Amino acid sequence: MLDYDKEAERYDASRGGEPRAAAAAEAVLSLVPPRARSLLDVACGTGIVTRRLAAGRDGLRVTGADLAPTMARYAAARLPGAVVLADSRRLPFRDREFDAVTSVWLLHLAGGADDVRAVVGECARVLRPGGVYVTTVDKGASHNVGSDIDAVLASRPPSTAHDTAGQVESYARAHGLVPAGSTRFTGHGQGRSPRRTIADLRRGWFVTLPPGDPRAEHFAAGLADLPDQDRPRPDPVFTLRAFAKPRARGGNPGVPGGD
């Protein structure tokens, strides 16, 4: 697992910057009901997406939450007074407090299925009936774009995905949420080059190949043999799923109310 306090300074630049953030925010807002007036962005990171969520919809009050102090500090500079330090498994908010809750690029980082269930459960708890929870799914698989880099890495030790669409839907249903749509967006600027992938291998980006592991150097050698060492391969395309919290007495589950 990467240290996200250490990653904070280079996080935006290493992950597509503003173009990726703009694509993510636009996609998220396409799944948030127009009448939503409050949104919680769980694991907001540096706030680069969170700020765009706030700016992208008039009248939408956005709160960010992140566990890493340095990440939260960057986010607070972008959204003064609207960011809190919080563990996504134990959110410091009241039941039914928000019209929408989002968790972009979070569930794949969970340590296991129990943690994913806990995060989804907390997001459901703080969501108002009639509101929507929006989250990325299948994050790891999104990076396999069928490139020559993927071919070299195909035999690396697999990691267990805890954010598959089916798993997340089952956890959402267990907490009373029902499917309410999906969309996809491009991770602009995240296409891997061989040289960048070698650097990521050596700093522990691939969790099943820790730095210093002889196997990591085996894959690095294969990557070094590829042509066009600095040419990015295709960008990943990420998937968002939305889940609505139905009203207790009928009504449209996609429209927040005053419960």
Side-chain angles (χ1 to χ4, degrees):
M1 176 71 72
L2 293 177
D3 184 330
Y4 281 89
D5 277 314
K6 293 181 179 178
E7 282 286 303
E9 183 175 357
R10 66 186 303 273
Y11 184 87
D12 294 346
S14 66
R15 290 165 176 79
E18 294 292 351
R20 185 186 78 144
E26 181 179 5
V28 167
L29 289 174
S30 76
L31 296 171
V32 173
R35 290 180 56 191
R37 291 294 174 265
S38 59
L39 182 149
L40 172 64
D41 189 21
V42 179
C44 66
T46 65
I48 191 170
V49 175
T50 320
R51 176 178 62 183
R52 286 181 173 272
L53 294 174
R57 178 85 56 90
D58 289 341
L60 182 63
R61 175 177 54 83
V62 176
T63 301
D66 201 274
L67 180 61
T70 308
M71 286 286 202
R73 186 164 65 249
Y74 276 85
R78 286 172 161 146
L79 291 96
V83 176
V84 299
L85 275 175
D87 187 325
S88 57
R89 298 164 299 182
R90 294 180 293 276
L91 293 171
F93 302 104
R94 301 187 305 272
D95 294 357
R96 304 181 174 193
E97 188 165 345
F98 297 94
D99 294 333
V101 180
T102 62
S103 62
V104 181
W105 301 305
L106 168 63
L107 299 183
H108 70 288
L109 298 173
D114 288 345
D115 283 340
V116 177
R117 289 191 191 96
V119 172
V120 174
E122 279 293 272
C123 291
R125 179 184 65 80
V126 302
L127 185 63
R128 184 172 298 167
V132 171
Y133 170 49
V134 179
T135 187
T136 41
V137 297
D138 295 314
K139 201 273 186 179
S142 300
H143 286 279
N144 190 335
V145 297
S147 71
D148 53 352
I149 292 174
D150 295 320
V152 169
L153 295 175
S155 62
R156 75 184 187 274
S159 58
T160 302
H162 299 291
D163 69 330
T164 67
Q167 288 172 302
V168 175
E169 180 175 333
S170 71
Y171 303 151
R173 287 185 181 277
H175 290 284
L177 306 182
V178 297
S182 65
T183 192
R184 304 176 80 199
F185 65 95
T186 300
H188 297 290
Q190 286 196 283
R192 291 172 174 158
S193 69
R195 198 182 312 278
R196 173 178 167 183
T197 306
I198 291 169
D200 288 341
L201 268 173
R202 288 175 172 163
R203 71 189 186 95
W205 188 280
F206 297 88
V207 294
T208 58
L209 292 169
D213 189 313
R215 296 172 300 173
E217 289 307 309
H218 166 77
F219 286 105
L223 292 166
D225 286 337
L226 294 178
D228 304 317
Q229 282 286 299
D230 294 310
R231 177 176 61 83
R233 277 41 172 183
D235 288 322
V237 177
F238 300 110
T239 301
L240 285 169
R241 291 287 306 273
F243 300 93
K245 188 171 191 176
R247 297 178 187 279
R249 296 179 299 278
N252 182 351
V255 180
D259 300 31

